[in-house]
Amino acid sequence: NIGDYRQKQTDYLTALAQDTAVKVVETGEPLALYNLNPFERRIVHVALAERKDIVTESQGEGKSRFLVVSPKQ
């Protein structure tokens, strides 16, 4: 955790998650977040877990795995 890298990364991903959730709610369309490792995907899932208006889901296999943020039906 040199130079608070992990905390900065967590803060960035939490902000990205919230911004993505706002866009999903506004448009009603799902958005995919690519190039996230498992740790980063987990941060996004946790950041959005309490929201009742969206759903997060990891899709794909192995290195092709990505996260989708969708409006709740």
Side-chain angles (χ1 to χ4, degrees):
N1 194 17
I2 296 173
D4 293 326
Y5 172 79
R6 190 166 286 228
Q7 185 60 48
K8 288 177 186 175
Q9 187 70 359
T10 299
D11 292 345
Y12 166 76
L13 289 168
T14 301
L16 174 66
Q18 295 301 332
D19 291 344
T20 301
V22 168
K23 288 178 189 173
V24 166
V25 169
E26 286 176 355
T27 65
E29 297 292 323
L31 286 176
L33 300 175
Y34 296 95
N35 300 321
L36 300 176
N37 65 39
F39 174 75
E40 294 167 335
R41 284 194 307 273
R42 183 178 185 285
I43 290 171
V44 174
H45 282 299
V46 170
L48 299 177
E50 304 232 349
R51 291 195 59 142
K52 304 295 183 207
D53 54 350
I54 54 128
V55 176
T56 61
E57 177 184 21
S58 290
Q59 296 180 352
E61 295 296 324
K63 293 186 186 244
S64 298
R65 203 148 170 85
F66 59 97
L67 189 139
V68 178
V69 180
S70 304
K72 198 167 213 173
Q73 299 298 336

